[in-house]
Amino acid sequence: MYKITLYDHNLSPICDGTAFWFVEDLSAFEEKWLPLQCEHDVSTVEKYYRSKFGEIISDWYSDIADLNIVQKADSKIISKLDYTYKNKEIVLENIYGFETKLEFDELKIKLRFLRYADD
């Protein structure tokens, strides 16, 4: 399994951080992630590929190995939870309090709890 560590652009300016994605297939991740990247975020895409091909590089303020963008290690799924909702309405709120209302004919949520490397 791969752990992808990227700067979280959705946090408030007073609370910087990183976000993690755990994926089994990098090409499947790239297929969904790359179209979401804005023109101004070309440096993150470049750093992602440099990390993917072996360079220790982060999307953070430090290039320490623990923050390397693409990491691979053994993992174990501890438990799984799957939820399916019909005609579901949810409201998402970002750090600034802006809300977005979403309506789904069908909403599927898959949660996986895992142990990654020694974490």
Side-chain angles (χ1 to χ4, degrees), residues 3-21:
K3 177 183 177 183
I4 299 168
T5 305
L6 296 170
Y7 180 74
D8 188 351
H9 294 279
N10 295 315
L11 289 174
S12 77
I14 58 170
C15 181
D16 292 338
T18 55
F20 309 102
W21 289 265

Side-chain angles (χ1 to χ4, degrees), residues 98-112:
F98 292 105
E99 295 182 349
T100 300
K101 180 177 160 183
L102 300 171
E103 297 177 4
F104 298 90
D105 291 332
E106 181 175 82
L107 173 62
K108 293 183 179 185
I109 300 172
K110 295 183 177 194
L111 300 175
R112 302 295 181 258

Side-chain angles (χ1 to χ4, degrees), residues 16-117:
D16 292 338
T18 55
F20 309 102
W21 289 265
F22 295 92
V23 299
E24 294 179 16
D25 182 357
L26 288 177
S27 58
F29 170 80
E30 292 165 8
E31 184 180 311
K32 296 185 185 228
W33 176 68
L34 286 172
L36 300 174
Q37 300 311 300
C38 301
E39 257 182 49
H40 69 278
D41 205 16
V42 172
S43 67
T44 297
V45 173
E46 176 194 346
K47 288 188 282 186
Y48 167 83
Y49 279 109
R50 287 169 53 198
S51 177
K52 178 182 175 180
F53 293 115
E55 188 175 340
I56 302 294
I57 188 165
S58 78
D59 194 30
W60 188 243
Y61 301 109
S62 168
D63 285 339
I64 62 173
D66 287 349
L67 295 175
N68 190 28
I69 293 173
V70 179
Q71 301 175 47
K72 184 176 183 179
D74 292 330
S75 65
K76 179 182 177 184
I77 295 177
I78 298 167
S79 65
K80 300 177 182 182
L81 295 172
D82 295 327
Y83 300 95
T84 301
Y85 299 96
K86 301 283 186 184
N87 300 315
K88 183 72 173 171
E89 181 180 295
I90 62 172
V91 177
L92 297 177
E93 182 177 324
N94 70 11
I95 190 77
Y96 303 104
F98 292 105
E99 295 182 349
T100 300
K101 180 177 160 183
L102 300 171
E103 297 177 4
F104 298 90
D105 291 332
E106 181 175 82
L107 173 62
K108 293 183 179 185
I109 300 172
K110 295 183 177 194
L111 300 175
R112 302 295 181 258
F113 299 90
L114 60 95
R115 177 174 302 282
Y116 179 83

